[in-house]
Amino acid sequence: MQQHGLAFDVAHLLAGGMLLVSFVLLYQRRMFAVLNSFALHAIVLALAVAWQAFVQDAPHLYITAAIALLFKGIIIPVALHRIVVRLEIHREVETVIGVGPTMLGGIGLVALSILVVLPVTASSAAFAREDLALALSIVLLGLLMMITRRNAITQVVGFMSIENGLILAATGVRGMPLVVEISVAFSILIAFVVFGVFFFRIRERFDTLDVQYLGTFRGGQG
Amino acid sequence: MHLAAVLDLILVLLALGAAGAATARLAAGRIVVYGGCFAACAALLGLAGAALLGPEAAPSTLSLPLGLPWLRANFALDSLSAVFLVVIDLGGAMASLYGLGYGRHEHEPDRVLPFFPLFLAGMNLVVVADDAFAFLVSWEFMSLSSWALVLAHHREKATLHAGYVYLVMASIGTVALLLAFGVMAGPGGDYAFAAIREHGLSAGAASAVLVLVLVGAGSKAGLVPLHAWLPLAHPAAPSHVSALMSGVMTKVAVYAAVRILFDLVGGVQWWWGAIVMGLGALTAVMGILYALMQHDLKRLLAYSTVENVGIVFIGLGLTLAFQADGLVTAAALSLSAALFHVFNHSVFKSLLFFGAGAVQTATGERDMERLGGLIRFMPVTALVFLVGSASIAALPPFNGFASEWLVLQAILASPDLPQWALKFLVPAVGAMLALSAALVAACFVKAFGITFLGRPRSKSALQARETDAVSRGVMAALAGLCLFAGVFPGVVMEGFAPAVRQLSGGAVPVSEGAQWLLLLPQAGSRSAYSGVVVFVLILCACALTFFVVRAVGSSRTRRAPAWDCGFPDPSPATQYTADSFAEPIRRVFGTVLFDARESVDLPAPGDMRAARFEVRMRDYAWDLLYEPVAVAIAYAAERFNRVQFFSIRRYLTMVFGALIFLLSVVALWR
Amino acid sequence: MAVNPFVLQAGQAALVVALAPLLTGIVRKAKARLLRRRGASVFQPYRDLLRLARKDAVLAENASWLFRSTPYVTFACIWAAAVFVPTFATRLPLSAAADLIVIVALLGTSRFMLALAGLDVGTSFGGIGSSREMMIASLAEPAMLMIIFTLALMARTTDLSTIAADFALGHVGLRVSLGLALVALIMVAIAENARIPVDNPATHLELTMVHEAMVLEYSGRHLALIEAAASLKLLLYISLIGCVFVPWGIAAPGAGTGAIAASLAAFAGKVAIGAVLLAVFETAVAKMRVFRVSEFLTGALLLGLLAALLLFVSRSF
């Protein structure tokens, strides 16, 4: 049994925790549960990044952690929650193949990412390689979620979990530059994607995006 | 010396076959044949046991002037042969004894009695054959005599279909083995095993042999997807023959695989282990899922044989992988586990088939949906069937658990394997093995519960009576052996030690000196299993519980109608049936694997016709493999059939064309 | 001054039986409190068991010898399994005889007999209970075996006592596989003990029961034994989770009376905390539909498989 430092173990544990939450995301059948699980995903990511900031002695990563926590752990889930309620979107997640086979596919993807990353990076430090393997698994699981779910919201959540995986990979590697800037840029991208999807939906539903006309659908006044 | 006696006894069996043909119609014929077979098998068992437990000597060989003149018929008795002789003859002796009682109900004894001793003789000969010719002749002999036995009840239409499929699959298997021996003998053409061992094989040739052996021996053993004949043929035969086919003949196929892959070919590669393990895991899971969907008791048992063969092949695959990487103790562990499971399965599968035979003779039914409540009319049969079910479900303290424990320990020894593919395959194989073990318990709760428990579902179940004393005695002996092998697994495995040492070079796992007490997976391991302690602990706990409860509480009992939440229904049709018991599992696994669909046809209110509930399942192996192949062959045969109707001029043209072709070949070859 | 290990072993066997009803009592009391009720005393299960034992056992007219003997066999197998799980001391004399696989298989034996007893009387409720129980078992047992693989790969042994002793010494540290195994083990423990969200131990609606439907026909001392067995199984799982994942405080072999007393107190504390956490969890979630249970347990199986796979791939996962 190898003795690793606490730093190694906690970082691994948090990365494993994110992988676990990715599986939890694949397991859910209710929309609100998906949003809550995604918030948890972002919180665990924030913890992992904060730990990396502590261990690597890189204070700018604390900002990334804070962005992840605030934006993806709180603001986006709440916003999506309200959108689900307002647009009366289906509360049930429609899957292409059952939950069981989806999770089995998830295990296959984890095996694949391990098979890709570990033999190739045999010369690097153990910690970096394994973290990278876990991060790649999270990305692949996010993609799996996007392709096996029919609702727009779950696809957006899948996309955001891909991004979480990429941030995990980026912060795991010591000394990657511009991490904070890239995180902010990605988050703005996500915001645009989310808004784009929902304006599309609104237009589909009400045949117009024009706020002036949207007002006519309110009850009471014309 | 032992070998000569073995061959003599096999000759006795052949003679009994002739005697059977002569005396089949007489009342004494049954006694002569089965009694003689029992005596011969018991003697063979004794010889094999003496060969194993006695001092280790070099394998004895014998060469008889039969068969091909330049080859003769070579026979040898080494420890591997002795182990399988024990398995075959234990099964054979028990089946013969059982036949004494069961055979009374046989309507056409002249279709069974002559072939039964021949079947036993064939199986024994395969195991002592020492050259390819003797081996293949014995193999075909075994197949043909069992085919004759399958067709014993030829008046049933299903039996004819079963016999046809069996014959086709057996022929395919023999051809594959023939080709395998051809590749092994090489251009030199020396078919004796000793010669094959000496000259070794190139890697490509060895891989070809692996594939051919998996088709040939694997189809006989029941590896998915070549298993389709097994659930058709095994139930069609009389019950003692089914027990022999399931419990013993499949093990002869395992022997063929072990002999060829471990002894004759040499130069094991790691990916052989991967393929064998993967096939074994697939077979285990699919076998038991098929079994769960059955409501014919004997088909269920036949499919569960497929599952157990899968477990044996998982053990063999692990052994191949360990051997390729030079991990000797781990290879010994997995090989011992596989051989122990071979022994255990033959014991409890025979027991289960004998029980099913008893049920069939008592009620005339094989369909579980028409049975039920037999525990009251057939208490001894129910008890021994329960022991068999508990053994096959791998429950302590019985023998099924001991061999399952060893296979799991072998899987736990495999992280040391360096290949990446194995690092991913072995945990998956472990998960599939665990899944199949859990499903077996469900399957046998269903098999025992629906058949013996509850209320009788038909008149034939109500009229059941206990079987005769001989059958009960045989089943009780087998149940006792299940318990013995479970409580003292180390003792039984000491018997396999010479074979394991010969093939893998390692030692059988035992604890130094106290093998009756503890079973250790590898020397110096920290995990152990003591069958004795667990068994005694369970007994003491039972006794203590009983006495304390009696002391503290009351011991009075009253009988009353069943509670059933206050709405007891007098009709036994409201009980769970076999299909309804399996329904949750069918919904979880069956929709994907068997495309299981349920349809309900309810009449409109006021319409008095019956409602209809139908479950439809597809066997993908049959649809995707057997059907297309059969269609292709039929098509090709149809085309080639035209050759039958040529005119004389056309035939002469064919002869002329062949001659020109061969002359051109000769001309161009140089 | 070391205490005689045989005394400790006998003491453990007696302790688990004595403590199991109290565990059930604590869980029920905590649940009642969370639902703003007073709840019965924590010692009420003892009184219930005694009351049941003193009643006549009413058997259905067609109940067989299997039905009558199953409560004893079930209880004995679970008790035998509980004897091997370290509670307050490790490396007791009997613990070398059986490892984790044996413990799980003994629980399997008790479930096998109970499922058969459900089918014995020939009612449809017994059939529902037995068939659903076997479906749940067919997924929970492989999940448990994968968790055992994970633990055995980390500790290089399947013997539970040795695993607990090794983990208590801190040889393992915080590992990803351990985390995944813990989550999977909690999921399996909930399913095996018939707790919400898999099954409702307190319901009277038969179509929502699994375990209760199987034992519907039992009464008197037989029912007392079956309920005691269920409590003992819950205690077994809580001790298992405690000795593997929270092993601090377990007395090493050869400890004196002081260390044993401290270890007993630690064990009692772990059990009480486990009971309260279980009560909180059961109150917070709703029961799942039956076929959602199979997805739940598939998740547990796949988590266990993932944990074992990670360890096969690299020893530092």
Side-chain angles (χ1 to χ4, degrees), chain B residues 376 401 405 409 412 415 453-455 526-527 530 545 553-554 556-560 563-565 575-576 581 587, chain C residues 53 55-57 59-63 97 99 105 116 120 122-123 125 128 131 153 155 157-158 162 166 206 217 221:
Chain B
R376 211 155 314 115
F401 174 69
W405 189 84
Q409 292 289 346
L412 283 170
L453 300 177
R455 293 175 280 167
R526 297 192 289 173
S527 329
S530 174
T545 315
S554 93
R556 284 196 308 271
T557 324
R558 268 191 295 138
R559 292 277 175 170
W563 160 236
D564 211 5
C565 280
Q575 300 179 83
Y576 256 51
F581 190 90
R587 271 180 75 163
Chain C
K55 289 188 167 188
D56 293 358
L59 299 171
E61 275 149 5
N62 59 345
D99 61 355
L116 285 178
D120 187 64
T123 62
F125 288 115
I128 291 180
S131 75
L153 287 171
T157 172
T158 45
T162 317
D166 276 358
E206 295 73 31
E217 300 289 329
R221 59 183 183 278

Side-chain angles (χ1 to χ4, degrees), chain B residues 156-179:
Chain B
E156 294 161 35
K157 191 163 168 292
T159 316
L160 293 177
H161 176 63
Y164 177 68
V165 174
Y166 179 30
L167 199 58
V168 169
M169 294 302 296
S171 309
I172 294 176
T174 311
V175 166
L177 280 177
L178 185 64
L179 289 172

Side-chain angles (χ1 to χ4, degrees), chain A residues 31-32 34-35 75-90 150-160 189-211 214:
Chain A
M31 199 59 76
F32 289 151
V34 169
L35 294 177
I75 296 182
I76 290 194
V78 169
L80 284 175
H81 194 110
R82 293 172 90 184
I83 289 178
V84 169
V85 170
R86 285 272 182 79
L87 292 184
E88 286 169 28
I89 294 179
H90 251 166
R150 295 189 208 271
N151 315 69
I153 297 235
T154 46
Q155 286 168 350
V156 166
V157 166
F159 184 68
M160 288 194 280
L189 172 65
I190 297 289
F192 277 118
V193 168
V194 172
F195 283 131
V197 168
F198 287 102
F199 287 154
F200 197 59
R201 274 286 193 129
I202 293 172
R203 190 180 57 174
E204 245 174 53
R205 219 147 182 256
F206 302 116
D207 283 332
T208 174
L209 265 183
D210 198 338
V211 180
L214 284 178

Side-chain angles (χ1 to χ4, degrees), chain B residues 375-376 379 382-383 386 389-390 393-396 401 405 408-409 411-412 414-416 420 422-424 426-428 430-431 434-435 437-442 444-446 448-450 453-455 518 526-531 533-534 537-538 541-542 544-546 549-550 552-565 574-576 580-585 587-589, chain C residues 50 53-66 68 72-73 75-77 79-80 83-84 91 94 96-99 101-102 105-106 108-109 112-113 115-117 119-125 127-128 130-132 134-135 137-139 141-142 145-146 148-149 152-153 155-159 162 166 206 216-217 221-222 225 291 294 298 301 305 308-309 311-313 315:
Chain B
I375 195 171
R376 211 155 314 115
L383 178 61
L386 180 63
S389 305
L395 299 177
F401 174 69
W405 189 84
L408 289 170
Q409 292 289 346
I411 291 183
L412 283 170
S414 48
D416 301 322
W420 278 97
L422 287 176
K423 282 189 196 285
F424 288 106
V426 176
L435 183 62
L439 287 170
V440 176
F444 279 89
V445 166
K446 170 180 140 166
F448 183 78
I450 304 288
L453 300 177
R455 293 175 280 167
L518 275 184
R526 297 192 289 173
S527 329
Y529 168 57
S530 174
V533 170
V534 169
L537 191 60
I538 295 177
C542 266
L544 196 57
T545 315
F546 184 74
V549 167
R550 286 283 159 132
V552 163
S554 93
S555 58
R556 284 196 308 271
T557 324
R558 268 191 295 138
R559 292 277 175 170
W563 160 236
D564 211 5
C565 280
T574 56
Q575 300 179 83
Y576 256 51
S580 47
F581 190 90
E583 191 258 355
I585 296 182
R587 271 180 75 163
V588 173
F589 296 100
Chain C
L50 207 54
R54 290 197 180 130
K55 289 188 167 188
D56 293 358
V58 180
L59 299 171
E61 275 149 5
N62 59 345
S64 64
W65 55 263
L66 190 141
R68 295 179 69 161
Y72 299 99
V73 174
F75 185 81
C77 286
W79 192 11
V83 163
F84 296 119
R91 301 272 181 83
L94 282 183
D99 61 355
I101 303 178
V102 178
L106 278 170
T109 309
F112 187 82
M113 295 303 291
L116 285 178
L119 288 174
D120 187 64
V121 181
T123 62
S124 44
F125 288 115
I128 291 180
S130 296
S131 75
R132 285 180 179 178
M134 294 320 287
M135 174 197 70
S138 71
L139 288 167
E141 247 191 61
L145 272 169
M146 295 317 293
I148 294 176
F149 276 10
L153 287 171
R156 294 198 182 261
T157 172
T158 45
D159 182 29
T162 317
D166 276 358
E206 295 73 31
L216 199 61
E217 300 289 329
R221 59 183 183 278
H222 299 145
L225 272 176
F291 289 101
S294 62
T298 306
L301 172 58
L305 176 59
L309 181 65
L311 279 176
F312 260 83
V313 166
R315 286 276 171 185

Side-chain angles (χ1 to χ4, degrees), chain C residues 86-109:
Chain C
T87 50
F88 58 89
T90 56
R91 301 272 181 83
L92 292 175
L94 282 183
S95 65
D99 61 355
L100 263 172
I101 303 178
V102 178
I103 292 173
V104 169
L106 278 170
L107 294 176
T109 309

Side-chain angles (χ1 to χ4, degrees), chain B residues 9-186:
Chain B
L9 284 165
I10 294 178
L11 223 57
V12 166
L13 281 172
L14 290 170
L16 277 170
T23 60
R25 287 279 170 190
L26 306 172
R30 200 184 78 236
I31 300 179
V32 163
V33 170
Y34 288 128
C37 286
F38 172 69
C41 287
L44 278 165
L45 181 62
L47 279 172
L52 276 178
L53 297 173
E56 246 183 273
S60 42
T61 56
L62 199 58
S63 182
L64 293 178
L66 302 170
L68 302 171
W70 61 90
L71 182 56
R72 301 163 63 100
N74 301 326
F75 299 100
L77 180 65
D78 61 0
S79 37
L80 180 65
S81 307
V83 165
F84 278 90
L85 271 181
V86 166
V87 171
I88 293 172
D89 294 304
L90 180 62
M94 291 293 151
S96 312
L97 260 188
Y98 183 78
L100 273 177
Y102 176 79
R104 215 174 299 153
H105 309 276
E106 185 59 61
H107 295 299
E108 298 188 64
D110 53 343
R111 294 181 79 97
V112 174
L113 287 177
F115 298 108
F116 187 82
L118 295 183
F119 184 35
L120 288 172
M123 288 195 285
N124 281 299
L125 269 177
V126 170
V127 167
V128 292
D130 196 38
D131 70 73
F133 182 71
F135 185 93
L136 284 171
V137 168
S138 322
W139 183 270
E140 266 303 275
F141 195 62
M142 172 181 82
S143 302
L144 286 175
S145 44
S146 56
W147 173 73
L149 286 167
V150 164
L151 286 180
H153 299 151
H154 62 122
R155 302 212 188 275
E156 294 161 35
K157 191 163 168 292
T159 316
L160 293 177
H161 176 63
Y164 177 68
V165 174
Y166 179 30
L167 199 58
V168 169
M169 294 302 296
S171 309
I172 294 176
T174 311
V175 166
L177 280 177
L178 185 64
L179 289 172
F181 280 118
V183 172
M184 279 194 276

